[in-house]
Amino acid sequence: MTAVAVVGSQWGDEGKGKITDFLSKDAAYAVRANGGNNAGHTIEIDDKTFKMRLTPSGIFTAKSAVIGNGVVINPEVLLGELENLEANNIDTSKLKISNRAHVIMPYDILQDEYQEEVKGANKIGTTKNGIGPTYMDKASRIGIRVCDLLEKETLAEKLHANLTEKNDLFTKVYGKPALEFDEIFEQYYEYGQKLAQYVTDTSVLVNDALDRNENVLLEGAQGVMLDIDEGTYPFVTSSNTISGGIASGIGVGANRLQTVIGVCKAYTTRVGEGPFPTELLNATGDRIRDTAHEYGTVTGRPRRVGWFDSVALRHAKRVAGITALSLNLLDIFSGFDQIKVATAYELDGQTIDYYPASLKELDRCKPVYEELPAWNEDITGAKSWSDLPKNAQSFLKRISELVGVPLVTVSVGPERQQTIVLQDPWEL
Ligand code: IMP
């Protein structure tokens, strides 16, 4: 059996779509296991750009693409993506959707918005796609699952019960209008009918494939620093983005994941609120943002930008069991004088090497930087390690050393072929 999991090792948007797309050509199954349409994958194929939020990147090249039980699904968004793919002659019949995945309902999207409104200055800065409230429904045992959409009576019963509760909350707590049953019921039953052809027990499919020694690619969403347990809580998403979350989000044993690739950028970005010790609030940050087009795929928000933070990366490596790194956007530093990398933090006069849980402590942390020389050459055409300037090689070696895992791929541009493969992750 070969299962390779790909996780974001920073705050999301590390460019996981590229490596997952690259790996999926040799995968029997490419699986998504957590998050929802808060994620945004941009895939460039030939002259076409596909922006997808729910469909696994593997839909283009893997034999089968799977949305696992840990994902929360907005059916309207998913059906829209499938329509767009079909319009571009991509075969969507190979998509499989877990019957246990939870459905994002209209009241979840509104609840996300109202919760943020009430929090005011303390808002999380969510994508307002209803992700948090859908996982709240799941944990409260009132969630509507994909299998419920297919059973008219079950859907009606659950929706009635949920609307009673949610409408009370909306009208009495938030002072907002109540939602009507009929329109939502008809719409969501229809979505269920359209999705029915894809729905199955995906855990069985994936476990059987592993038993047959087929390659399975597990695509994580967001990043370790946004994990509900291990991230910068409460400024996190509401699912487990670490490899353990991927295992439970598809229904395979944790011992099935022997290779975990952590995807990172040559610098760091984050969207939304929350701590970010290496953030650059200056012209260097603006330069990285503009050169790298750091604007959200889903929301279009300018991303916050900072130097590479090896303290956060070592934390990610620990909690997600990262065994190799895939580094993106190395090309951004062409023409820079120097690049900084945080090697540790200084907290109240002490040098520390761990990521503090307390936000107050994090606030007092000052990154300890190491400066590395950059390079002038345009590296966007580099095909191998030896095509890279010495300084770029030294930078990569230092990142690998600081994180303590080997690099498997280095990306020097957005196109599929602009990837230097140092080691085939399927062979690790
Ligand atoms: P939510 O997942 O919409 O609830 O948002 C919670 C936090 O996670 C916010 O700071 C979002 O900006 C962040 N977030 C969620 N999904 C992504 C992603 O795919 N990339 C980067 N940040 C994300």
Side-chain angles (χ1 to χ4, degrees):
M1 87 195 179
T2 307
V4 172
V6 172
V7 299
S9 58
Q10 295 162 321
W11 278 276
D13 307 317
E14 298 92 350
K16 294 175 288 297
K18 188 168 185 189
I19 173 104
T20 49
D21 176 50
F22 170 78
L23 287 172
S24 66
K25 65 183 186 316
D26 297 314
Y29 287 90
V31 180
R32 248 199 79 180
N34 72 288
N37 57 309
N38 47 352
H41 301 263
T42 305
I43 309 256
E44 319 238 349
I45 294 179
D46 303 327
D47 57 342
K48 285 191 183 139
T49 302
F50 294 90
K51 290 193 183 220
M52 297 192 304
R53 301 172 177 196
L54 274 164
T55 315
S57 329
I59 193 81
F60 297 103
T61 40
K63 290 201 194 90
S64 187
V66 175
I67 296 180
N69 56 273
V71 177
V72 288
I73 299 176
N74 178 324
E76 188 186 354
V77 171
L78 179 58
L79 286 164
E81 287 179 10
L82 295 176
E83 228 170 78
N84 179 45
L85 289 167
E86 277 155 20
N88 283 286
N89 300 317
I90 309 289
D91 176 19
T92 61
S93 67
K94 58 180 169 180
L95 177 70
K96 305 287 170 220
I97 302 171
S98 168
N99 46 10
R100 291 185 171 85
H102 282 246
V103 180
I104 300 175
M105 301 298 290
Y107 45 76
D108 293 314
I109 301 172
L110 289 170
Q111 193 175 336
D112 199 353
E113 188 184 318
Y114 300 158
Q115 282 174 348
E116 284 284 89
E117 217 173 279
V118 165
K119 284 195 175 94
N122 296 324
K123 69 179 195 301
I124 306 294
T126 74
T127 58
K128 296 199 182 156
N129 285 308
I131 309 297
T134 308
Y135 281 115
M136 281 163 65
D137 292 353
K138 178 176 176 175
S140 307
R141 274 65 54 86
I142 61 162
I144 292 185
R145 299 187 294 168
V146 167
C147 58
D148 302 326
L149 288 188
L150 309 185
E151 293 176 10
K152 208 167 189 173
E153 269 177 32
T154 313
L155 177 63
E157 267 168 38
K158 288 194 153 191
L159 185 60
H160 262 304
N162 287 1
L163 275 181
T164 308
E165 195 174 321
K166 299 281 179 177
N167 279 339
D168 263 1
L169 177 73
F170 290 177
T171 55
K172 295 180 186 159
V173 177
Y174 295 128
K176 302 286 184 185
L179 299 182
E180 298 293 335
F181 173 88
D182 288 346
E183 203 181 316
I184 302 177
F185 176 68
E186 274 158 34
Q187 181 82 82
Y188 276 70
Y189 185 67
E190 193 186 320
Y191 288 150
Q193 295 303 298
K194 287 187 178 158
L195 291 176
Q197 58 180 310
Y198 306 107
V199 177
T200 187
D201 187 331
T202 51
S203 163
V204 173
L205 286 183
V206 175
N207 277 284
D208 284 355
L210 288 171
D211 288 343
R212 289 192 301 267
N213 279 324
E214 291 178 346
N215 286 347
V216 173
L217 170 66
L218 303 147
E219 296 179 21
Q222 288 87 41
V224 172
M225 301 309 284
L226 288 171
D227 181 277
I228 183 120
D229 285 285
E230 307 296 347
T232 47
Y233 190 89
F235 298 100
V236 291
T237 191
S238 21
S239 64
N240 281 112
T241 59
I242 55 173
S243 49
I246 294 182
S248 66
I250 183 55
V252 300
N255 56 350
R256 295 278 204 173
L257 312 183
Q258 69 271 61
T259 299
V260 180
I261 298 180
V263 185
C264 63
K265 290 176 177 169
Y267 48 89
T268 312
T269 61
R270 116 164 261 178
V271 285
E273 314 303 316
F276 187 175
T278 62
E279 183 166 18
L280 284 164
L281 296 165
N282 58 16
T284 308
D286 295 343
R287 179 172 173 191
I288 297 174
R289 182 181 304 105
D290 288 343
T291 315
H293 312 294
E294 291 291 359
Y295 296 89
T297 321
V298 175
T299 58
R301 291 183 284 185
R303 293 180 183 140
R304 298 161 65 193
V305 170
W307 293 119
F308 189 92
D309 183 347
S310 76
V311 184
L313 254 291
R314 284 191 296 274
H315 174 76
K317 177 197 160 195
R318 237 177 346 254
V319 299
I322 291 169
T323 54
L325 274 187
S326 165
L327 185 139
N328 286 328
L329 292 135
L330 182 67
D331 49 302
I332 298 309
F333 288 126
S334 289
F336 274 61
D337 289 334
Q338 42 112 351
I339 312 169
K340 288 191 190 179
V341 174
T343 55
Y345 294 157
E346 198 194 292
L347 172 63
D348 304 334
Q350 304 268 339
T351 303
I352 62 162
D353 187 32
Y354 60 89
Y355 209 86
S358 152
L359 295 194
K360 292 213 166 66
E361 278 187 15
L362 257 180
D363 223 27
R364 299 199 303 276
C365 280
K366 298 204 174 29
V368 177
Y369 285 117
E370 184 171 302
E371 289 185 12
L372 299 162
W375 52 91
N376 280 321
E377 295 89 331
D378 172 1
I379 58 169
T380 53
K383 298 262 179 286
S384 66
W385 178 259
S386 56
D387 291 341
L388 292 172
K390 278 271 160 313
N391 286 352
Q393 292 179 351
S394 303
F395 172 76
L396 293 171
K397 278 189 199 153
R398 187 65 183 132
I399 296 282
S400 168
E401 191 177 86
L402 284 167
V403 183
V405 290
L407 278 160
V408 282
T409 65
V410 175
S411 170
V412 291
E415 300 295 329
R416 240 184 201 180
Q417 65 276 14
Q418 288 175 299
T419 305
I420 300 172
V421 182
L422 303 170
Q423 218 180 328
D424 183 348
W426 291 116
E427 305 294 328
L428 287 175

